[in-house]
Amino acid sequence: IKRLSMRQRFLIILTAIILLPLRVVAADTLTVEKKLLSEYSRTAVFRNQVWQNAAIRFEQRPFSLTSVSVKGLYEQRGDAALAQEGNRRKDFSAEVNSFVVLNPRNRLFGQASYRNGRREDVVWNENSDYSLLYPYVVGDSIGGFMKEEEYKFSGGYAYRFGEWTAGAELGYRAVIAYRDKDPRPRNIISDLQASLALSRNLSGKYNLGLAVQARKYNQKSEITFLADKGSTSVYQMLGLGMDYVRFAGTQTSTRYTGEGIGGSIDLLSVSNDGENNGFSASLRADYFHLTKELSSTNYTPINEIKNVDVSLETAWTRCNREWGYGVHLLAALQQRTGVENIFGEPSGTIYPQISSVDQFKNTTLKAGLKGRIGQRLNGNRRWGWTLLPTAGYWQTKPEYKGNGRYVKMASASGGLEAQSLWKASRMLLSASLAGGYTTNVKANYSLTGLDGKGPVGSTLLSNIDYLSDDHASVALKLRGDYILNDRYAVFLSANWLHQEYDKCGGTDRIEVSLGVTF
């Protein structure tokens, strides 16, 4: 029997997710127009983290809703980019999102997507998932473009019994990234995540939930050289311009293995109208451990990452027939520790480990405050509006202990977004205009022994200039939904984001989506 390819398996699962809601849509008496109007005005979209609890997600909406879409994205960043992630990107993707109310006791939710993309001018990083692996990537000064294919699937189920609700969710991500020009990396990623959750209704006003999560991650990376001029040196990067000198040169095959655990405690106010008015809070903590191994030396574990993420989200919302209000606060702390393992003299391809040292450390803090006030589109009213003021603060301090190198950066931001929604015959038209400004609060560093004119040093200094640069931003979002009948609507949307940096120049991001909702 011929084995199915990854793309064939994806298409089968994608088809199943599309067809599943079609079997239950007949039992849903709410028209698609009313669903869309509810989605535009509901305060549930004002929250994010609390919905990661599979049991709490039972309350996300009181009706079934599915969207199928295709999307194109183009982004160019010029000098305002991290060198390890590239400065230009093109993506095409297809996605299905579904939330199904089977009956008063059962909810299903799922997502499937496929993305085909290309990033340009990637240097000092031949791996994928840089934000997860840094600083321990394999790097070289040549780099180039990187082609990527990503497949994502997730599915969840929530069941209510009495005052209790149980939920479970399983998600899987697979990535193939490569370059067909020297140096030629080929990265294969598998990322599996699972969660279990339980919640209880308290006096009919709140749901209190607990959730546990687990994660298993693998990335296999191989670099080959096919050109007649031969290979170039690759380096095992250690952060802030440092590399593992002992393993520099020809170690081109690596493997990353990671395991993670986490948990959350979540509180959500509930009401019979499905608006979830009132107070909500979500406290989540995750621990992730990653090991980097050199495949050609009997999988020598040269580096480890210990990463702790803690985040708190709180929100208060109030809606009536005419008006909607809300306040949202998110605070997050990340503590990352990097370990270098030390080895004795090898016996063949086996390196005996003799010690380990905590050399790299990075502490990042983020905080954001968002408000909401708006007039809803209801009854005879054919126009609604919403204002969303925002303020934020960010700081980070990466440091390499061995030679005392460190970078301290902090920034503050503020902005305002204005949204409008019009109803005209069979059309729902929405528009959003946002503007903001981010200013540097702190930017100082000590990079002892760094050659600022060399390829590694100049790249590091360029990244620092970008991350500490003041910039203004403006964003425009347009969307039109055309109601075909009571069950189906088609939509077209376009988003544009422009950022203008004081020293690094301008960036542009354009995204266009076409889809159907039912």
Side-chain angles (χ1 to χ4, degrees):
I1 300 174
K2 185 178 179 180
R3 188 174 180 180
L4 293 176
S5 68
M6 181 181 290
R7 184 172 297 183
Q8 289 172 324
R9 291 196 298 271
F10 167 78
L11 292 174
I12 292 172
I13 296 173
L14 184 68
T15 303
I17 293 177
I18 295 174
L19 294 179
L20 174 63
L22 294 178
R23 299 188 62 181
V24 297
V25 72
D28 196 337
T29 58
L30 204 62
T31 66
V32 69
E33 180 180 347
K34 291 181 178 179
K35 292 179 182 181
L36 290 171
L37 287 173
S38 179
E39 285 294 293
Y40 277 117
S41 61
R42 291 172 69 244
T43 57
V45 297
F46 201 57
R47 302 173 172 92
N48 182 35
Q49 184 171 298
V50 70
W51 300 123
Q52 296 177 29
N53 182 309
I56 294 288
R57 197 168 176 184
F58 187 98
E59 307 288 349
Q60 189 170 12
R61 56 175 64 92
F63 50 80
S64 298
L65 187 68
T66 296
S67 67
V68 183
S69 62
V70 293
K71 179 171 64 178
L73 180 147
Y74 174 77
E75 182 179 32
Q76 71 81 22
R77 301 197 61 86
D79 293 332
L82 286 177
Q84 291 87 349
E85 295 185 336
N87 60 14
R88 195 161 67 252
R89 176 183 167 194
K90 293 184 289 185
D91 279 348
F92 168 81
S93 61
E95 183 174 345
V96 180
N97 280 285
S98 187
F99 185 91
V100 180
V101 179
L102 293 174
N103 55 51
R105 290 179 177 269
N106 296 271
R107 303 284 193 271
L108 286 175
F109 38 92
Q111 183 263 351
S113 65
Y114 167 76
R115 179 178 64 87
N116 189 307
R118 178 177 170 127
R119 292 182 291 127
E120 303 287 348
D121 298 328
V122 181
V123 293
W124 293 112
N125 173 30
E126 297 293 2
N127 298 107
S128 301
D129 290 345
Y130 176 73
S131 63
L132 188 66
L133 272 54
Y134 87 93
Y136 300 132
V137 295
V138 180
D140 62 76
S141 61
I142 299 175
F145 63 86
M146 186 75 82
K147 296 180 180 179
E148 300 172 324
E149 282 192 78
E150 180 184 66
Y151 306 81
K152 293 174 68 175
F153 319 96
S154 68
Y157 173 69
Y159 174 71
R160 173 155 294 172
F161 50 102
E163 301 297 322
W164 295 86
T165 304
E169 189 169 12
L170 183 68
Y172 180 73
R173 179 174 67 101
V175 180
I176 300 174
Y178 61 95
R179 182 189 306 125
D180 48 15
K181 181 180 179 180
D182 284 8
R184 303 171 187 244
R186 180 177 176 84
N187 306 323
I188 300 176
I189 297 171
S190 64
D191 190 0
L192 178 66
Q193 300 187 56
S195 67
L196 295 173
L198 188 66
S199 70
R200 191 182 192 283
N201 186 267
L202 305 177
S203 304
K205 295 182 179 180
Y206 288 92
N207 277 353
L208 177 64
L210 295 172
V212 292
Q213 302 95 26
R215 183 179 188 181
K216 179 63 177 176
Y217 178 89
N218 284 279
Q219 180 175 164
K220 181 181 179 182
S221 178
E222 296 182 352
I223 303 174
T224 57
F225 296 86
L226 300 181
D228 294 337
K229 62 183 179 181
S231 63
T232 186
S233 294
V234 297
Y235 302 87
Q236 312 302 321
M237 308 307 296
L238 300 176
L240 294 184
M242 299 295 295
D243 74 278
Y244 209 142
V245 177
R246 182 174 187 179
F247 297 107
T250 58
Q251 299 294 339
T252 56
S253 298
T254 55
R255 183 176 70 178
Y256 297 83
T257 59
E259 302 83 26
I261 58 173
S264 68
I265 179 169
D266 309 278
L267 183 70
L268 176 70
S269 58
V270 294
S271 55
N272 294 330
D273 59 6
E275 292 283 1
N276 303 122
N277 281 318
F279 178 77
S280 70
S282 175
L283 177 63
R284 176 168 177 151
D286 291 281
Y287 173 77
F288 185 71
H289 180 269
L290 185 77
T291 301
K292 177 184 178 180
E293 301 169 324
L294 298 180
S295 305
S296 58
T297 59
N298 203 35
Y299 296 99
T300 303
I302 63 171
N303 296 117
E304 297 176 50
I305 291 173
K306 302 172 184 177
N307 196 83
V308 177
D309 286 286
V310 180
S311 58
L312 173 65
E313 177 195 69
T314 62
W316 175 87
T317 56
R318 177 63 58 193
C319 278
N320 54 39
R321 186 173 178 81
E322 295 288 331
W323 294 89
Y325 312 88
V327 177
H328 176 274
L329 172 66
L330 179 65
L333 173 67
Q334 182 185 83
Q335 181 74 63
R336 174 167 293 211
T337 302
V339 180
E340 294 178 22
N341 294 325
I342 311 300
F343 302 90
E345 290 301 315
S347 175
T349 59
I350 298 177
Y351 285 75
Q353 182 176 333
I354 58 177
S355 66
S356 62
V357 183
D358 291 355
Q359 286 280 38
F360 181 82
K361 182 180 178 181
N362 190 15
T363 302
T364 302
L365 173 65
K366 298 178 182 179
L369 180 65
K370 179 165 60 177
R372 169 178 174 163
I373 182 172
Q375 197 168 22
R376 307 177 72 182
L377 193 158
N378 273 322
N380 295 325
R381 184 184 300 277
R382 294 184 173 271
W383 177 66
W385 59 270
T386 302
L387 293 178
L388 297 163
T390 60
Y393 177 80
W394 170 82
Q395 71 174 35
T396 188
K397 183 186 177 182
E399 54 186 316
Y400 190 85
K401 300 178 182 179
N403 55 10
R405 292 184 184 181
Y406 68 85
V407 179
K408 296 180 181 178
M409 289 182 287
S411 63
S413 61
L416 178 65
E417 180 178 2
Q419 301 174 344
S420 290
L421 175 65
W422 295 270
K423 183 179 182 301
S425 185
R426 289 181 171 269
M427 290 290 296
L428 293 175
L429 303 173
S430 64
S432 168
L433 180 63
Y437 191 80
T438 299
T439 183
N440 177 259
V441 176
K442 180 191 299 182
N444 55 70
Y445 54 85
S446 174
L447 300 172
T448 306
L450 181 73
D451 179 8
K453 296 183 180 180
V456 176
S458 60
T459 298
L460 175 59
L461 294 175
S462 175
N463 285 346
I464 294 173
D465 288 342
Y466 155 59
L467 292 172
S468 60
D469 200 1
D470 294 353
H471 63 276
S473 62
V474 59
L476 177 63
K477 301 178 182 179
L478 301 172
R479 172 165 169 157
D481 292 84
Y482 182 76
I483 311 301
L484 297 174
N485 52 43
D486 286 348
R487 292 186 181 178
Y488 298 94
V490 294
F491 69 85
L492 176 65
S493 68
N495 302 333
W496 171 65
L497 170 65
H498 177 77
Q499 295 173 307
E500 191 64 37
Y501 285 78
D502 185 37
K503 299 176 182 178
C504 297
T507 75
D508 285 287
R509 176 188 174 100
I510 301 172
E511 186 176 273
V512 178
S513 300
L514 174 66
V516 58
T517 306
F518 53 92

